[in-house]
Amino acid sequence: MARWIGAFLVMLMAACQATEKKDGDLRATHLACESRVEPLGIDEPYPRFSWWIEDESGARSVRQSAYRILVATDRGALAAERGDLWDSGRVESNATYGVEYGGAPLPSGAACFWMVRAWDGGGRVTPWSAPASFATGLLDPAAWAADWIGWDEARELAVAAADHPDGLFLPPPRYLRREFTAARAVRRAMLYASALGIYETRLNGERVGDDYFTPGWTDYARRVYYDTYDVTSLVRPGANAIGAVLADGWFSGHVGWGRKRDHYGDTTRFRAQLVLEYEDGTREVVVTDGSWRAAAGPLLEADFLMGEAYDARRAMPGWDAAGFDASAWSAVDVTPAIAAEIGAHPGPRVGEVATFTPIAVTAPAPGVHVLDMGQNFAGVVRLRVRGAAGREIVLRHAEVLNPDGTIYTTNLRGARATDRYICRGDGEETWQPRFTFHGFRFVEVTGLDAPPAPGDFVGVAIGSRTPPAGSFECDDGGVNQLVHNIYWTQRMNYIDIPTDCPQRDERLGWTGDAQVYARTATYLCDVQAFFTKWLVDLADGQRKDGQFPTVAPLKVSGSDGGPAWADAGVICPWTIYEVYGDRRLLARHYEGMKRYVAFCAGRCREDLRPPAEFHCYGDWLNIQDETPKDVLYLAYLARSTQLTARAAAALGRAEDTTHYEDLFARIARSFQDAYVGADGRIAGDTQTAYALALAFGLVEGENRARAEQHLLRKLEERDWHLSTGFVGTKDLMLVLAEIGREDVAYRLLHQDTFPSWGFSIAQGATTIWERWNGWTPEAGFNDPGMNSFAHYAFGAVGEWIFRTVGGIDLLAPGYDEILIRPRPGGRIGRARASHLSVHGPIETSWERDGDGMRLDVAIPPNTTALVHVPCTVTQAVTEGGGPLASVEGVEILGHEDGAAKLRVASGRYSFRVE
Ligand code: BGC
């Protein structure tokens, strides 16, 4: 009987397959594992897969109805359609992201290959996708056999601080090496490497990988990451050499203000494990241990804030290749184990993201040349020079110039930001720093015989390699420049962690800046993995009592973030969940969110008023419009409580949902009792107070309309300029759109007098300034104690630009349901925006045409969109030249808020309003 049923099932399956059309237009593409493409060193025992469905036929309403995933140990198995690690079988589901590996636990250090195919609802099936790969890391801590090695004597080689020309103590980076023999031909060689400090590994004369500042910044006392590299092509049978350069980095270099160093310790360490798999199936492991040798070399110093120096006369050709005479090198110092938890770096690595060649060279003084790279960015200069042996070329970096054309460095405070190259003297020489970065547009070069040729000095921009995920373009040059400036400020500040600024002696993971800007960041780049990493740093910095810190990793500044800063612990995980549908991330941070809300509510008075004393930065850098701190306290507590309620609902915690919804209602009531007058006036009477209260739903009934009027009055009082600081700016613009006054938002957007975004652009800014008045014609530079020209907080307007001008937003997590709602206005006659969501590209393009307009949209498969086509009730709306009523994929919902509301299935649409 069982055999009968089996035979019947086989027949049935064969029949099904026979009726399935393999349609070349329908494909599964963009395969990612843990939101990264072909990642090496995945530490998750059950990694998650994602893909896009693409349909080139132009069909509408494309939905995946089922998928099948195969995971295998080699490509051959996949070619034979065999998943020896896992075959999901056909799964009836429309999930295309967050799909968990469901096989037996993955082995440590394994190469894995996978592919996917999908079915749509109409009997079409994709071909198998191109295979993608990932590799597991050293999943089991016991798999590590390597020691942590360093060379502590190096510190004795450092010029004592008192003798250093700058009074700085800067030990030279350590060169570490050993040789080994590969007994036979190697099939696969994987390198796992980590450090207390930052490192670069070399194998047989080649640099391993192209990452910078590995293994990244964490609270090294608790957590250290390792990196995984496939070095198969670098290892050869016979003699090999492996080496590493180890610099201070965040571990023991200068971090933050006050010229302090050695924040985590003064003994930098490197740890590596090279696993050789021979063709014959045997394995050998080369590890860091006491057999390694150490020396100082041409790198004289390397420090994030101070810069790097290289004496080419001290170069040691061949030090990283086999056969080098290292007899003069010293024994290494060995630490067998450290207390911190070891894990695979979960984020994108830092690397080169762009290059710039100077657009101008000036000579403000004899022998002093200034190169203008044309763009403010974070990174270093790659140089090509000729000079006599011992000739010293000095590069000093700055964001802006003094009126006399010299570089302005006062705002760098204690960061020396100076790189030096000492020539070997044998012809053309090239060099690029590897263990430092500066925030700069201008470079002062001294020590050259002749004026620099622009091509000899290339600006190399360095940042976390978060893939670009959005574009925006319109017919207003100022707004395009603003988006450009926001993008570059993000690139400059997303360097393993989201920092406040990349140039002065700060560069810390300020939580307040990170939370106001996070949503904007998602529009410009794919930051899912980036935040996956940083949210661990933030969780590591959460205090036992539930408070989140001012900065993460927690160093230099304090553990008491206070309103709008500490709330990053709730707002950032929620934002990443919303944008990428990342439930696992939300679940991981959910308890921390709850502890935070409990802490803030717990220290309130009984009637849910803020405590008598608490730390708060206020509406940082507002323009004489200080919002009372207790208003900020309660507004943000309400916000975090509301988001925690939403998180509870998303995670299916019904009891918690009720609890936090109820708490939110009580906080909102307390806010109204305490701060909202009968006339709708809010305590402080500031733009930010109204913006937050309206954005967070803290004014109700008639008072809401009154509060809206007060907000408009406050803007008018400033002659339609904003006065908001870091906290209020983002919500101000969003609220204006929400209350139907995008006309006012556009007015603020187009302002070019102080304070406004346009003001900095009128001064030639290529990035977002920390202060609205970083420089003014009347007063010159603002207080150099705090005046960065690359802080992204005010760039949080990017969210409004993408949502309101571009018209791209979400209605359900992961953009499962999309909102397309462009609101044309201001000087803008046409705009075009795109966003690469987890489902694929979402695109809008609109143009005003007299009283009518054109709106083109693209909605990716497997999603639906609510589209608002701006029009009056009497205007005719067509799609593709035909009346809406008969258009496939479009359901007319009605006319509301000055737009025809349509429910739209996936596909491309071209709407016209006449
Ligand atoms: C940082 C800011 C930060 C602020 C906190 C500044 O020094 O640069 O970005 O949010 O301190 O008040």
Side-chain angles (χ1 to χ4, degrees):
M1 174 72 172
R3 218 188 295 159
W4 266 62
I5 295 175
F8 175 71
L9 281 177
V10 169
M11 273 163 56
L12 191 70
M13 278 164 61
C16 286
Q17 270 162 18
T19 57
E20 262 165 8
K21 283 187 285 162
K22 275 193 196 172
D23 193 320
D25 291 331
L26 193 69
R27 296 180 172 277
T29 64
H30 291 79
L31 275 62
C33 175
E34 284 301 314
S35 77
R36 288 184 285 158
V37 176
E38 314 257 303
L40 295 180
I42 289 285
D43 238 0
E44 298 284 349
Y46 299 99
R48 294 162 302 166
F49 301 114
S50 63
W51 58 92
W52 293 358
I53 298 294
E54 283 188 313
D55 186 350
E56 276 161 25
S57 74
R60 290 183 177 164
S61 310
V62 177
R63 277 189 97 71
Q64 173 185 290
S65 61
Y67 66 80
R68 182 175 168 203
I69 294 174
L70 298 181
V71 184
T73 45
D74 60 55
R75 288 177 195 276
L78 288 189
E81 295 191 15
R82 228 172 356 93
D84 55 353
L85 285 168
W86 185 47
D87 179 347
S88 71
R90 178 175 162 141
V91 179
E92 304 302 315
S93 161
N94 72 345
T96 55
Y97 62 87
V99 176
E100 260 186 30
Y101 166 79
L106 290 167
S108 193
C112 306
F113 301 86
W114 71 285
M115 60 185 191
V116 61
R117 76 186 320 180
W119 288 261
D120 76 354
R124 289 193 301 167
V125 57
T126 69
W128 282 107
S129 68
S133 68
F134 68 96
T136 57
L138 291 185
L139 293 173
D140 175 7
W144 280 100
D147 292 327
W148 297 86
I149 63 167
W151 187 43
D152 301 336
E153 217 180 293
R155 285 175 75 93
E156 285 157 36
L157 299 175
V159 187
D163 301 334
H164 194 282
D166 299 293
L168 293 166
F169 177 74
L170 294 170
R174 295 77 163 140
Y175 288 72
L176 307 164
R177 79 181 303 277
R178 76 157 272 182
E179 296 191 13
F180 63 93
T181 306
R184 290 172 290 282
V186 169
R187 184 174 64 197
R188 181 173 182 249
M190 299 299 286
L191 176 74
Y192 306 92
S194 180
L196 300 173
I198 50 175
Y199 73 91
E200 182 181 303
T201 321
R202 318 267 317 173
L203 241 175
N204 296 329
E206 303 275 338
R207 178 181 177 192
V208 174
D210 56 2
D211 300 335
Y212 283 71
F213 314 150
T214 46
W217 189 4
T218 49
D219 178 350
Y220 301 107
R222 314 170 60 128
R223 186 181 309 283
V224 184
Y225 289 129
Y226 66 87
D227 311 289
T228 304
Y229 298 98
D230 186 335
V231 292
T232 313
S233 64
L234 297 179
V235 178
R236 45 178 173 255
N240 289 265
I242 180 169
V245 184
L246 176 62
D248 293 333
W250 295 284
F251 181 79
S252 65
H254 291 88
V255 173
W257 53 78
R259 290 209 157 174
K260 294 203 189 83
R261 49 169 301 134
D262 299 331
H263 289 276
Y264 297 92
D266 57 11
T267 50
T268 50
R269 288 289 180 265
F270 172 66
R271 186 198 217 192
Q273 185 147 324
L274 173 63
V275 180
L276 306 174
E277 285 173 31
Y278 292 119
E279 294 283 8
D280 62 8
T282 58
R283 278 161 56 102
E284 199 166 332
V285 182
V286 178
V287 296
T288 42
D289 59 17
S291 70
W292 287 55
R293 310 288 288 172
L299 268 175
L300 306 179
E301 51 192 42
D303 185 277
F304 282 139
L305 300 183
M306 303 310 162
E308 197 161 313
Y310 189 91
D311 185 345
R313 295 168 305 178
R314 292 168 50 98
M316 307 176 292
W319 75 273
D320 49 1
F324 177 77
D325 178 10
S327 54
W329 287 40
S330 308
V332 291
D333 294 293
V334 177
T335 306
I338 62 169
E341 196 177 305
I342 316 297
H345 191 288
R349 305 322 319 258
V350 174
E352 295 176 11
V353 292
T355 53
F356 297 98
T357 36
I359 57 166
V361 181
T362 53
V368 179
H369 291 98
V370 172
L371 310 175
D372 178 358
M373 294 292 175
Q375 173 63 49
N376 202 17
F377 65 97
V380 292
V381 169
R382 183 185 298 151
L383 57 81
R384 184 167 64 197
V385 291
R386 282 170 185 275
R391 153 80 51 141
E392 185 169 314
I393 319 277
V394 180
L395 307 177
R396 293 171 63 230
H397 305 75
E399 294 182 287
V400 283
L401 297 179
N402 287 307
D404 66 359
T406 57
I407 59 170
Y408 177 76
T409 56
T410 326
N411 68 327
L412 306 184
R413 304 191 310 210
R416 192 186 56 182
T418 303
D419 297 337
R420 292 182 294 133
Y421 180 77
I422 301 166
C423 296
R424 205 167 46 232
D426 57 0
E428 190 175 286
E429 305 177 35
T430 56
W431 176 66
Q432 181 196 315
R434 288 266 208 257
F435 302 101
T436 191
F437 69 91
H438 316 289
F440 68 103
R441 169 175 171 172
F442 299 96
V443 193
E444 179 202 86
V445 187
T446 49
L448 296 173
D449 287 330
D456 289 346
F457 293 82
V458 175
V460 179
I462 294 172
S464 280
R465 282 187 278 220
T466 51
S471 65
F472 176 89
E473 197 265 326
C474 70
D475 56 353
D476 185 273
V479 176
N480 292 340
Q481 183 70 39
L482 175 57
V483 174
H484 169 99
N485 292 5
I486 296 170
Y487 173 82
W488 272 102
T489 312
Q490 177 171 331
R491 276 271 174 250
M492 283 179 93
N493 278 297
Y494 277 19
I495 301 185
D496 203 54
I497 63 159
T499 62
D500 58 333
C501 58
Q503 73 298 84
R504 69 175 177 230
D505 57 352
E506 189 144 355
R507 312 186 192 185
L508 302 171
W510 281 98
T511 49
D513 311 37
Q515 71 83 3
V516 294
Y517 185 75
R519 182 71 171 99
T520 296
T522 66
Y523 275 112
L524 293 167
C525 291
D526 174 354
V527 294
Q528 186 179 3
F530 179 81
F531 270 94
T532 300
K533 190 266 172 190
W534 185 66
L535 286 174
V536 176
D537 301 329
L538 186 53
D540 282 349
Q542 186 174 21
R543 274 190 339 211
K544 281 205 175 62
D545 62 11
Q547 177 64 312
F548 281 109
T550 56
V551 294
L554 177 53
K555 230 354 128 178
V556 181
S557 185
S559 67
D560 184 358
W565 271 254
D567 296 272
V570 173
I571 293 168
C572 293
W574 175 257
T575 303
I576 298 306
Y577 166 71
E578 262 209 310
V579 172
Y580 303 104
D582 194 335
R583 265 178 78 90
R584 183 187 280 176
L585 176 134
L586 188 67
R588 281 188 182 164
H589 294 288
Y590 179 63
E591 289 305 318
M593 296 163 78
K594 283 172 63 175
R595 288 203 295 123
Y596 172 67
V597 171
F599 167 76
C600 293
R603 65 176 180 166
C604 280
R605 292 174 3 186
E606 218 150 84
D607 53 0
L608 277 177
R609 301 276 167 87
E613 275 178 29
F614 58 89
H615 159 72
C616 177
Y617 289 113
D619 185 17
W620 194 247
L621 302 183
N622 68 79
I623 303 295
Q624 283 128 32
D625 200 17
E626 197 65 66
T627 304
K629 293 183 173 164
D630 47 351
V631 170
L632 295 181
Y633 188 103
L634 220 50
Y636 259 90
L637 173 55
R639 179 65 174 161
S640 280
T641 305
Q642 188 180 51
L643 294 185
T644 304
R646 288 185 196 162
L651 296 171
R653 322 267 173 111
E655 231 173 86
D656 284 6
T657 312
T658 316
H659 169 75
Y660 290 107
E661 277 172 356
D662 172 62
L663 181 59
F664 169 75
R666 288 190 294 129
I667 296 168
R669 215 168 305 129
S670 164
F671 186 94
Q672 291 173 59
D673 293 349
Y675 306 126
V676 187
D679 60 353
R681 228 173 250 264
I682 295 177
D685 195 33
T686 63
Q687 292 182 11
T688 290
Y690 294 112
L692 296 189
L694 290 165
F696 300 168
L698 303 177
V699 264
E700 276 173 357
E702 287 176 6
N703 265 349
R704 196 178 160 85
R706 293 190 188 115
E708 292 174 10
Q709 290 311 312
H710 285 302
L711 173 60
L712 296 171
R713 171 180 56 81
K714 292 301 295 181
L715 287 160
E716 194 176 4
E717 272 173 22
R718 299 271 178 146
D719 191 22
W720 305 105
H721 286 79
L722 43 68
S723 56
T724 48
F726 279 22
V727 178
T729 301
K730 164 193 127 165
D731 288 302
L732 172 69
M733 294 296 270
L734 297 173
V735 157
L736 287 171
E738 198 184 306
I739 67 175
R741 293 307 303 266
E742 44 286 291
D743 59 318
V744 176
Y746 273 107
R747 202 161 173 175
L748 300 180
L749 178 75
H750 291 316
Q751 268 316 352
D752 61 5
T753 47
F754 164 79
S756 68
W757 294 280
F759 176 72
S760 67
I761 289 169
Q763 315 312 316
T766 59
T767 40
I768 303 291
W769 294 357
E770 176 175 26
R771 296 173 178 270
W772 293 118
N773 50 355
W775 184 89
T776 59
E778 303 77 34
F781 291 115
N782 208 317
D783 175 7
M786 223 190 68
N787 195 22
S788 135
F789 292 92
H791 254 64
Y792 49 58
F794 292 145
V797 66
E799 176 179 352
W800 177 85
I801 294 176
F802 271 87
R803 277 168 65 167
T804 309
V805 190
I808 299 176
D809 200 358
L810 52 80
L811 289 172
Y815 285 91
D816 289 356
E817 212 183 327
I818 296 162
L819 176 63
I820 300 291
R821 192 180 177 194
R823 276 161 281 182
R827 292 201 298 254
I828 301 179
R830 64 166 175 82
R832 169 189 287 276
S834 72
H835 173 64
L836 302 182
S837 71
V838 282
H839 292 285
I842 302 165
E843 294 164 14
T844 60
S845 164
W846 58 259
E847 184 163 11
R848 294 204 260 190
D849 178 10
D851 288 341
M853 74 177 299
R854 167 186 64 81
L855 170 63
D856 296 337
V857 302
I859 305 299
N862 228 16
T863 66
T864 58
L866 180 64
V867 178
H868 291 235
V869 183
C871 62
T872 61
V873 206
T874 53
Q875 280 179 311
V877 182
T878 56
E879 195 286 322
L884 273 188
S886 58
V887 174
E888 187 204 334
V890 173
E891 183 193 340
I892 304 170
L893 301 177
H895 193 278
E896 213 181 298
D897 302 330
K901 273 186 163 183
L902 314 171
R903 163 96 39 225
V904 156
S906 76
R908 292 187 169 274
Y909 300 85
S910 187
F911 300 104
R912 290 276 182 292
V913 179
E914 271 152 348

